[in-house]
Amino acid sequence: MNSFTLTIPRTIKQTLDELGSTKGGPARIKAGGIDVLDLMKEGIEQPGRLINIRQLDEKPHALREISEVKADAIPEGVWRLLPGGDNGNPPPRRDCLRIGTLTTLAELSHSPLLQSKAAALSESASLIATPQIRQVATLGGNLLQRPRCWYFRSAEYPCAKKGGSVCFARDGENDFHAIFDNQPCCAVHPSGTAVALAALDAVLALQTPQGERFARLSSFLVSPSQPGGAIGRENRLEEDMILKNIWIPSPGPGEQSLYRKVKHKQSFDWPLAEVAISLRRGLTGNKAPEAVRIILGSVAPVPYRARSAEAALLQSPSFDAERIRKIGQAAVSGATPLSRNGYKVQLVSGLVQQAVAELLL
Ligand SMILES: Cc1cc2nc3c(=O)[nH]c(=O)nc-3n(C[C@H](O)[C@H](O)[C@H](O)COP(=O)(O)OP(=O)(O)OC[C@H]3O[C@@H](n4cnc5c(N)ncnc54)[C@H](O)[C@@H]3O)c2cc1C
């Protein structure tokens, strides 16, 4: 592991000053440290300075807090990115949940507020890694961790993601790699909370030296093939930025969400496939679904929105086993599996069917 200096700022301003300084070489933020220290031990990242943000103490919106904020107190930048705006009209104002970046995965999974108002997020956090890791790992670090592709994680393989010219997984051991959008890099996005937050239409609040900026999670995470994407990165975080809070619209009447994960080893393991669904049902008559977001995880370089499955689900208000099978099939339409991960196509289809059946039957 390279040697580095450690700083422990108390405020966001001090953190931004540290990030902006050029003395001592490139800097990296450390939150829980689970991922960044792993990368340093493997020699994949070699920052000269590590900035530990665990002690940040920003009042009044502490960075380790989960709270519900009334519609009239939502910052304009968040409000304008909420769902529901059309034809140039802004979305309606609504209450939102605000979660600080330093909230641990354990706190997310045990929060009664999230369990009742953002079930997909607390469920995803509760299934990540081990209880020990969940006590330390933070929401921000989970969203911003690097992919687990074993070629990327090994210093012996100068893969394309690390600036080389070859994707070793393409014709190599690609069992756990992407089945969608898998050119020019087939590593999957590693974050379980990102899958849930994409289904919940989350908005990120980012602090830069120039002020606060807001971005929908779904446009902040970017695959190499998307406009503005690059093979060496998974998101649009700039070097002088810090993630502060994550905002989620509070559910209205008839809205619910869930997250499901398939893994090899049941005690703890990385996912083979994940799905998060948020659904709004009508309040009268047969309570038919009126809006849905179906997000697949561990299948693409960023959480993958299964729009064909969403359309199939909204087609008619009646549901039986055959209808649900068709929704599952639609979820994997257009998949381009690699030499060793064809099994994921059926696995994902089955997982979507199971999740949709749980919500609708
Ligand atoms: C055995 C094991 C199993 C695992 N299983 C899963 C799993 O199933 N699903 C899953 O999602 N994850 C899994 N993980 C990964 C683990 O959850 C992540 O490594 C962890 O969540 C990272 O959080 P952290 O706070 O420790 O991040 P850190 O390591 O501190 O940071 C990660 C990255 O985010 C940046 N960063 C952190 N906070 C900020 C901020 N506020 N602003 C700007 N940049 C920031 C850091 O600079 C760094 O680049 C597993 C890990 C292990 C070891």
Side-chain angles (χ1 to χ4, degrees):
M1 193 169 180
N2 64 297
S3 59
F4 58 89
T5 58
L6 179 71
T7 50
I8 307 180
R10 301 286 162 173
T11 65
I12 288 185
K13 161 101 180 52
Q14 287 169 1
T15 310
L16 293 175
D17 289 347
E18 278 293 334
L19 280 174
S21 155
T22 49
K23 260 203 330 223
R28 264 283 170 280
I29 283 179
K30 173 197 158 296
I34 304 286
D35 193 47
V36 75
L37 293 177
D38 246 17
L39 289 163
M40 289 170 70
K41 285 184 226 163
E42 297 295 339
I44 309 301
E45 294 200 356
Q46 301 185 322
R49 293 175 297 135
L50 210 50
I51 307 172
N52 183 354
I53 59 169
R54 285 305 285 268
Q55 315 289 330
L56 287 188
D57 186 20
E58 288 279 332
K59 300 279 191 288
H61 305 317
L63 298 179
R64 195 169 170 177
E65 191 179 275
I66 305 171
S67 52
E68 188 159 33
V69 181
K70 288 281 163 220
D72 54 7
I74 306 299
E76 174 151 357
V78 172
W79 161 50
R80 292 197 172 271
L81 294 176
L82 293 177
D86 52 16
N87 300 330
N89 296 319
R93 278 193 179 272
R94 57 193 286 184
D95 297 353
C96 283
L97 303 168
R98 183 185 55 221
I99 309 166
T101 183
L102 292 175
T103 310
T104 65
L105 300 180
E107 287 162 347
L108 295 178
S109 56
H110 296 141
S111 156
L113 186 59
L114 295 185
Q115 284 166 354
S116 68
K117 301 211 166 185
L121 180 59
S122 64
E123 284 162 359
S124 71
S126 71
L127 292 171
I128 289 171
T130 61
Q132 291 87 342
I133 290 173
R134 293 195 293 271
Q135 289 293 335
V136 177
T138 64
L139 176 57
N142 186 263
L143 285 176
L144 297 168
Q145 62 176 308
R146 305 299 313 273
R148 303 304 295 193
C149 169
W150 32 44
Y151 297 105
F152 169 68
R153 292 263 165 179
S154 166
E156 286 169 27
Y157 289 90
C159 81
K161 200 167 191 49
K162 298 200 292 276
S165 55
V166 180
C167 173
F168 294 95
R170 174 151 306 285
D171 299 312
E173 297 193 10
N174 50 41
D175 311 42
F176 304 126
H177 289 69
I179 57 170
F180 293 103
D181 191 11
N182 43 17
Q183 299 264 18
C185 170
C186 53
V188 295
H189 199 272
S191 167
T193 59
V195 178
L197 287 170
L200 293 166
D201 255 322
V203 172
L204 308 184
L206 302 145
Q207 190 70 44
T208 76
Q210 292 75 39
E212 207 169 12
R213 284 203 206 153
F214 301 94
R216 282 200 186 100
L217 177 72
S218 50
S219 52
F220 175 78
L221 299 179
V222 58
S223 89
S225 69
Q226 290 170 335
I231 194 161
R233 58 192 296 188
E234 296 79 47
N235 55 57
R236 299 180 198 272
L237 190 82
E238 301 295 337
E239 297 208 329
D240 61 354
M241 274 183 188
I242 170 168
L243 175 60
K244 250 171 64 179
N245 293 304
I246 291 97
W247 294 80
I248 309 171
S250 296
E255 289 181 355
Q256 64 186 122
S257 69
L258 63 59
Y259 167 93
R260 294 290 177 266
K261 162 176 176 176
V262 188
K263 50 191 169 171
H264 231 128
K265 188 166 68 230
Q266 295 314 302
S267 55
F268 73 90
D269 211 345
W270 290 91
L272 298 170
E274 303 157 277
V275 64
I277 305 181
S278 67
L279 179 77
R280 190 183 75 233
R281 309 177 77 144
L283 297 177
T284 53
N286 57 10
K287 302 197 171 164
E290 293 179 343
V292 67
R293 282 172 76 86
I294 301 180
I295 309 291
L296 308 178
S298 304
V299 298
V302 290
Y304 181 84
R305 186 161 179 195
R307 288 182 189 272
S308 308
E310 293 175 3
L313 189 147
L314 294 175
Q315 235 164 45
S316 116
S318 63
F319 292 92
D320 58 17
E322 179 54 18
R323 194 61 215 298
I324 288 185
R325 197 177 61 78
K326 290 209 165 115
I327 296 167
Q329 276 177 343
V332 289
S333 63
T336 53
L338 303 165
S339 55
R340 294 168 62 130
N341 68 2
Y343 74 94
K344 275 198 181 187
V345 175
Q346 249 195 321
L347 190 71
V348 171
S349 173
L351 182 63
V352 170
Q353 291 176 51
Q354 181 198 323
V356 170
E358 270 186 63
L359 278 173
L360 291 172
L361 289 187

